[in-house]
Amino acid sequence: MLSQVVARFEIPYVQIVDENGNVVNPDLVPELSDDDLRELMKRMVFTRIWDQRAIRLSRQGRLGFYAPVSGQEASMIGSEFATKKEDFLLPGYRDIPQLYFHGYPLHQLFLYSRGHQLGGKVPEGVNCMVPQIIIGAQIVQAAGVGLAFKLRGEKRVAVTYTGDGGTSQGDFYEGMNFAGAMNLPVVFFVQNNQYAISVPRELQTRAQTLAQKAIAAGIPGIQVDGMDVLAVYHVMHEALERARNGEGPTMIEAVTFRYGPHTMSGDDPTRYRTKDVQEEWEKKDPLIRFRKYLEDKGLWSQEEEEAYIEEAKETVNNALKEADAAEKMTIPGLIDSMFEELTPTLKRQRAEFAGEEAN
C-alpha cells in the first residue's frame, strides 16, 4: 500500500516548444510581441557569449569565483523576463544573468567575481540581493522579503533561485514551509541541472521530482522544460500573478542541464558524467531550439545573430575595461564600507591598518 501512495505523486510537466522548434502545446503559448520574442533570443545569445568569455577570463586568472551557465539560458532568461523591476531577486551564485537583466551593472558583476567590495554594492533602484554562496540560505531570506511585502500591502514578489542540490538543504524546506504557512508572495525557482557539483539528482533524493517537495509545504509545485524559454516564461508568469494576487507561493522545477563544470574552481565533469549524456542534452540546447522557432516565424536570421554576437562581445569588453579601472581595494576602505558608523573595534582596526599601509 505504501508503494502505491508514493506512486500517486504526479506533478504537471510543461513544455511548449520541443527540441526541434515545434510548438507542442499551442494553448500555452504566451502572449508576447515579436519584439519580446526577439529580445528573449538576444538575451540568451548574450548570456552564452558572456559565459564563454567569463570561462576564458577565469582560466587566465582575471576572474575569481565563477559558475558557468551555458545550457541554463532558457531557465534563467525566461524566468527573469516574466518579473517586474519592482520584484525582488534572491539569487544563488550561478544566477548572475538574472541579476544583469534585472538592472545590476555588468562591470560590478565582474567585480563581484573578483571579490571586490564594489561588486557587492547594489545600485539604488535595483531590487535584489547579491548572489548567495551558502547553498540554500537565500530560500529563508526570500520568505522574509515576501513577509515584508505582505505586511506593507505591496504588489511585489520575492523570487529566489537555487539548484537541485539546494533542495536537499534544510533551509529549502524551512523557507517554503514558512512562505506557505503565511501565504507569502514568493516564487521558489529550482534549476535542476542534474548534478549538485558531482552528485547526480537521483542520488540526492528518492523523490520522483523535485517539484513534489512543494506538497509538504502545502503549495503548488510544477515541473517545466528548462530548455524551453517560452514554457519557462509561461509558468513563471502564472506563479508571479498568483503571488501578486494574494494566492501565495509557488515552487517551479526547471529541468535543465549545465554544459560546463560546476564552477571554474577545479571541477572536472568528465569524472562524473558520460559523453553520451552530454551529447543527449546538447540536442536540447535552448538556443538552437528557440532559434528554429523564431526562424520559422520569420523573426530571426543567421545574419542578425552574428551581428548581435559582435554587439554582445563589445558590451562584455567595455564592462571588463570598467571593472579593470575600478579603484584597488584597501583594508581601511573595506572597513569603511561595513557600517554607516564604525564600531569602536573597527575604528581601532582601521587606524592600525591605515598606519601599516602608510609605512
Side-chain angles (χ1 to χ4, degrees):
M1 183 180 74
L2 290 178
S3 62
Q4 293 174 346
V5 171
V6 172
R8 290 194 195 117
F9 290 144
E10 295 183 5
I11 294 293
Y13 180 80
V14 177
Q15 183 187 68
I16 295 176
V17 179
D18 66 16
E19 59 190 66
N20 296 314
N22 300 316
V23 175
V24 294
N25 273 305
D27 292 343
L28 299 183
V29 175
E31 295 182 1
L32 293 170
S33 68
D34 290 348
D35 286 343
D36 286 336
L37 294 174
R38 281 192 290 264
E39 182 64 23
L40 283 171
M41 186 64 188
K42 286 182 177 181
R43 292 187 180 193
M44 288 199 293
V45 169
F46 182 90
T47 301
R48 182 68 60 90
I49 295 301
W50 169 15
D51 187 61
Q52 292 170 351
R53 183 65 190 282
I55 289 173
R56 291 196 297 270
L57 291 169
S58 180
R59 288 171 175 161
Q60 296 166 2
R62 297 178 64 190
L63 282 186
F65 179 86
Y66 183 70
V69 303
S70 289
Q72 297 184 217
E73 292 92 347
S75 65
M76 293 175 163
I77 300 306
S79 60
E80 193 284 328
F81 198 74
T83 66
K84 296 181 179 180
K85 290 304 179 184
E86 59 265 29
D87 293 331
F88 199 94
L89 303 192
L90 296 97
Y93 50 76
R94 198 182 308 277
D95 303 306
I96 307 298
Q98 299 96 299
L99 287 182
Y100 172 64
F101 289 110
H102 211 62
Y104 213 108
L106 185 55
H107 77 280
Q108 284 190 248
L109 292 169
F110 279 132
L111 291 174
Y112 165 81
S113 175
R114 294 175 177 179
H116 196 292
Q117 68 195 70
L118 292 180
K121 186 177 181 180
V122 181
E124 189 71 28
V126 179
N127 295 299
C128 70
M129 293 189 70
V130 295
Q132 177 62 263
I133 295 295
I134 302 171
I135 306 295
Q138 67 273 27
I139 306 299
V140 175
Q141 294 171 331
V145 174
L147 178 60
F149 292 160
K150 182 175 181 178
L151 292 176
R152 294 173 181 172
E154 298 177 354
K155 294 285 188 178
R156 302 169 66 188
V157 184
V159 177
T160 186
Y161 292 88
T162 192
D164 45 298
T167 67
S168 298
Q169 295 292 109
D171 285 355
F172 180 76
Y173 177 71
E174 292 169 11
M176 280 207 309
N177 185 65
F178 186 83
M182 302 295 290
N183 200 47
L184 303 179
V186 184
V187 176
F188 301 96
F189 195 94
V190 177
Q191 296 186 86
N192 175 10
N193 65 18
Q194 312 305 313
Y195 298 90
I197 306 182
S198 60
V199 181
R201 192 211 69 84
E202 58 267 21
L203 294 182
Q204 295 178 52
T205 178
R206 288 292 297 274
Q208 297 164 5
T209 68
L210 299 180
Q212 73 192 51
K213 295 188 176 188
I215 295 171
I219 70 174
I222 189 168
Q223 258 194 344
V224 63
D225 183 346
M227 312 295 267
D228 176 2
V229 70
L230 290 187
V232 171
Y233 174 88
H234 169 73
V235 299
M236 188 66 170
H237 182 266
E238 282 200 339
L240 289 165
E241 288 305 298
R242 285 189 71 255
R244 244 183 277 283
N245 293 332
E247 298 175 45
T250 303
M251 179 195 163
I252 298 171
E253 176 192 354
V255 182
T256 184
F257 193 82
R258 58 170 167 83
Y259 293 144
H262 175 70
T263 71
M264 296 303 295
S265 302
D267 175 50
D268 180 5
T270 63
R271 298 182 64 181
Y272 54 84
R273 66 189 191 203
T274 66
K275 183 179 179 182
D276 289 343
V277 169
Q278 182 86 10
E279 290 177 349
E280 186 63 28
W281 279 97
E282 286 176 355
K283 294 176 184 177
K284 304 175 182 179
D285 189 300
L287 273 71
I288 295 175
R289 179 184 309 198
F290 199 53
R291 182 185 299 123
K292 291 178 180 177
Y293 172 80
L294 291 183
E295 287 175 345
D296 288 345
K297 293 173 69 66
L299 296 176
W300 196 255
S301 66
Q302 181 178 349
E303 292 76 17
E304 185 175 0
E305 183 163 333
E306 289 175 353
Y308 189 69
I309 286 173
E310 294 307 310
E311 183 181 331
K313 289 179 179 178
E314 183 178 359
T315 299
V316 172
N317 286 336
N318 290 338
L320 186 61
K321 291 177 182 177
E322 191 170 355
D324 289 340
E327 184 179 349
K328 302 301 179 185
M329 287 181 64
T330 65
I331 293 177
L334 176 61
I335 293 174
D336 285 340
S337 69
M338 295 179 70
F339 291 96
E340 183 175 3
E341 184 175 343
L342 297 183
T343 64
T345 300
L346 286 175
K347 288 179 180 178
R348 185 175 67 253
Q349 291 176 343
R350 191 192 190 289
E352 292 173 356
F353 282 111
E356 289 181 8
E357 292 191 356
N359 295 330

